[in-house]
Each structure stands twice: as structure tokens, then as C-alpha cells.
Amino acid sequence: MTPNHPIKLYRHPLSGHSHRAQLALSLLRLPHQLIDVDLMKGAHKRPEFLKLNPFGQVPVIDDGGEVVFDSNAILVYLAAKYDAAGRWIPRDPKGQAAVQGWLSVAAGPIAFGPAAARLITVFGAKYNAEEVIGRAHALLKIMESELAVRPFLVGEQATFADVAGYSYIASAPEGNVDLGAYPNVRAWLARIEALPGFVPFQSTRIGLAA
């Protein structure tokens, strides 16, 4: 199923959460329109945007009047509506639960580890750098072990578990999180980048990426 209209994606180009949604749209080959929200000028807190997301955060999609906010919720919505084959979120209970587990990792350890570390360098967030970088490495050690036995996070082919994890792991060096000790993680990133329809996350020359 393909919509007869472009899906509007309200995003910021340096937001990994936004890139997560953009990557899902692109991998599903869905027509979409990118609408940049100027976070620096507070556009996400203005009344017109708060009508789309009362929490005042990107990303948000507008699919012909159906508005969905939260990046992981957007992945679930897109898979349910446009992925009839269950390619990106399996339909069987075990596969579905496995993907959901990694969506929770994206909302927890990834958000409070590598994503938070990057927020310090890119956006000037007031986190404790040592603490969040430590969390990032604790997560990466787990991912390195998991990816030693399978090419993707939940099996032999990419799912939205990988999409949810990609952006902030790929950009971790921007937050001074070194990926050098994690060859399986780096190989996993390369496999995602080789997927048909992949779109890169806009990089920032900062931290270890400078």
C-alpha cells in the first residue's frame, strides 16, 4: 500500500529521533515531505506545533490528516499501515516482541547514553559527560555481544529495531563515544547503510568526529 499523498515529516536535521522516522519512510519507499522545525528559535513550542504534538518535540508525521508523534510510535504506525508483509516489524508474537524490546532500548539506554552524550556537544545540554559516555559504552558492549551471533539486532534481516538504533549509534563519536572497540557494531552500521533506500544522518564535525 502506498499513499496517494506525501507524508509530512516535521523534523530537525540534527535530531536522531527525526532521522529514525525519515529512514523508516525511505526504507518503506513512502512519498514524504520534510518540514524543518527550527528548534533554536523555539518553533516546537509554538501553539501551531503544539497542536501536532502537545509535548513540543520532533518528529511528527501527518499522513493525510492522521497525526502521529514520537519516533518509535511513528515506526509502529508506518509498519502497521504500510508493511503488510511484516518485513520491518514481524507479525508473529516472538518477532514483534523482539523488535519492541529494541524500541524500548532506543527510548532508554540509547536516549540516555549515546544520544545524551551527543546532546552535550551538539546542543550544549547540561548532562554529566562522564556518566552518559559510561552508559553509552555499557550499551555498546551488550550490542557488540548480540551482534556477534546475528547480522541484525533481531535476526538475519534488518527490522525497525535496527532503524531505531542506527542514528544515535552512528553519530556516537560526535558525543565523544569511541566506536573503535566495537567491530561488530561498526559492521552492523555498514549493513544498515547498504540497505536499499538508506538515507544518511546529517553529521556534525564535533567531538571525536571532528
Short mmCIF file of all heavy atoms in Angstrom, two decimals, residues 9-13 33-39 43 58:
data_model
loop_
_atom_site.label_atom_id
_atom_site.label_comp_id
_atom_site.label_asym_id
_atom_site.label_seq_id
_atom_site.Cartn_x
_atom_site.Cartn_y
_atom_site.Cartn_z
N LEU A 9 6.72 15.05 7.27
CA LEU A 9 7.56 14.75 8.42
C LEU A 9 8.11 16.06 8.98
O LEU A 9 8.93 16.72 8.34
CB LEU A 9 8.71 13.82 8.04
CG LEU A 9 9.78 13.58 9.11
CD1 LEU A 9 9.18 12.96 10.37
CD2 LEU A 9 10.92 12.72 8.57
N TYR A 10 7.64 16.41 10.15
CA TYR A 10 8.16 17.59 10.86
C TYR A 10 9.38 17.13 11.64
O TYR A 10 9.30 16.23 12.48
CB TYR A 10 7.09 18.15 11.80
CG TYR A 10 5.88 18.69 11.09
CD1 TYR A 10 4.84 17.85 10.71
CD2 TYR A 10 5.78 20.05 10.79
CE1 TYR A 10 3.73 18.35 10.05
CE2 TYR A 10 4.67 20.56 10.13
CZ TYR A 10 3.65 19.70 9.76
OH TYR A 10 2.54 20.19 9.10
N ARG A 11 10.53 17.74 11.37
CA ARG A 11 11.78 17.22 11.91
C ARG A 11 12.81 18.33 12.07
O ARG A 11 12.64 19.46 11.62
CB ARG A 11 12.31 16.15 10.97
CG ARG A 11 12.60 16.68 9.53
CD ARG A 11 14.07 16.79 9.27
NE ARG A 11 14.43 17.55 8.10
CZ ARG A 11 15.49 17.27 7.36
NH1 ARG A 11 16.23 16.20 7.62
NH2 ARG A 11 15.84 18.05 6.34
N HIS A 12 13.92 17.98 12.73
CA HIS A 12 15.13 18.81 12.72
C HIS A 12 16.24 17.95 12.14
O HIS A 12 16.38 16.79 12.53
CB HIS A 12 15.47 19.28 14.13
CG HIS A 12 16.59 20.29 14.16
ND1 HIS A 12 17.92 19.93 14.06
CD2 HIS A 12 16.57 21.65 14.25
CE1 HIS A 12 18.66 21.02 14.09
NE2 HIS A 12 17.87 22.08 14.21
N PRO A 13 17.05 18.48 11.23
CA PRO A 13 18.04 17.64 10.54
C PRO A 13 19.11 17.05 11.46
O PRO A 13 19.73 16.05 11.10
CB PRO A 13 18.65 18.58 9.50
CG PRO A 13 18.31 19.96 9.96
CD PRO A 13 17.02 19.86 10.68
N GLN A 33 7.41 14.44 2.63
CA GLN A 33 7.86 15.83 2.55
C GLN A 33 8.51 16.19 3.89
O GLN A 33 7.90 16.02 4.94
CB GLN A 33 6.67 16.76 2.29
CG GLN A 33 6.99 18.24 2.33
CD GLN A 33 5.74 19.11 2.25
OE1 GLN A 33 4.63 18.60 2.18
NE2 GLN A 33 5.92 20.42 2.28
N LEU A 34 9.76 16.66 3.84
CA LEU A 34 10.46 17.06 5.05
C LEU A 34 10.14 18.51 5.38
O LEU A 34 10.31 19.40 4.54
CB LEU A 34 11.97 16.89 4.87
CG LEU A 34 12.46 15.48 4.52
CD1 LEU A 34 13.98 15.48 4.31
CD2 LEU A 34 12.07 14.47 5.59
N ILE A 35 9.68 18.74 6.60
CA ILE A 35 9.37 20.09 7.05
C ILE A 35 10.25 20.37 8.26
O ILE A 35 10.07 19.78 9.34
CB ILE A 35 7.87 20.23 7.42
CG1 ILE A 35 7.01 19.90 6.21
CG2 ILE A 35 7.58 21.64 7.94
CD1 ILE A 35 5.52 19.84 6.51
N ASP A 36 11.23 21.25 8.10
CA ASP A 36 12.16 21.55 9.18
C ASP A 36 11.50 22.43 10.24
O ASP A 36 10.81 23.41 9.93
CB ASP A 36 13.40 22.25 8.63
CG ASP A 36 14.32 21.30 7.88
OD1 ASP A 36 14.14 20.08 8.02
OD2 ASP A 36 15.21 21.78 7.16
N VAL A 37 11.72 22.06 11.48
CA VAL A 37 11.21 22.81 12.63
C VAL A 37 12.43 23.44 13.31
O VAL A 37 13.35 22.73 13.73
CB VAL A 37 10.45 21.89 13.61
CG1 VAL A 37 9.97 22.68 14.83
CG2 VAL A 37 9.28 21.21 12.91
N ASP A 38 12.45 24.76 13.42
CA ASP A 38 13.61 25.48 13.95
C ASP A 38 13.59 25.41 15.48
O ASP A 38 12.99 26.25 16.15
CB ASP A 38 13.61 26.93 13.47
CG ASP A 38 14.93 27.63 13.71
OD1 ASP A 38 15.68 27.18 14.63
OD2 ASP A 38 15.23 28.62 13.04
N LEU A 39 14.28 24.41 16.01
CA LEU A 39 14.31 24.23 17.46
C LEU A 39 15.02 25.39 18.15
O LEU A 39 14.65 25.77 19.28
CB LEU A 39 15.01 22.92 17.81
CG LEU A 39 14.46 21.63 17.18
CD1 LEU A 39 15.24 20.42 17.70
CD2 LEU A 39 12.97 21.47 17.45
N ALA A 43 10.44 26.97 17.65
CA ALA A 43 9.26 26.70 16.82
C ALA A 43 8.46 25.50 17.33
O ALA A 43 7.25 25.41 17.11
CB ALA A 43 9.68 26.47 15.37
N VAL A 58 10.02 17.02 18.19
CA VAL A 58 10.07 16.38 16.88
C VAL A 58 10.57 14.96 17.08
O VAL A 58 11.28 14.68 18.05
CB VAL A 58 10.99 17.15 15.91
CG1 VAL A 58 10.39 18.51 15.56
CG2 VAL A 58 12.41 17.32 16.45
#
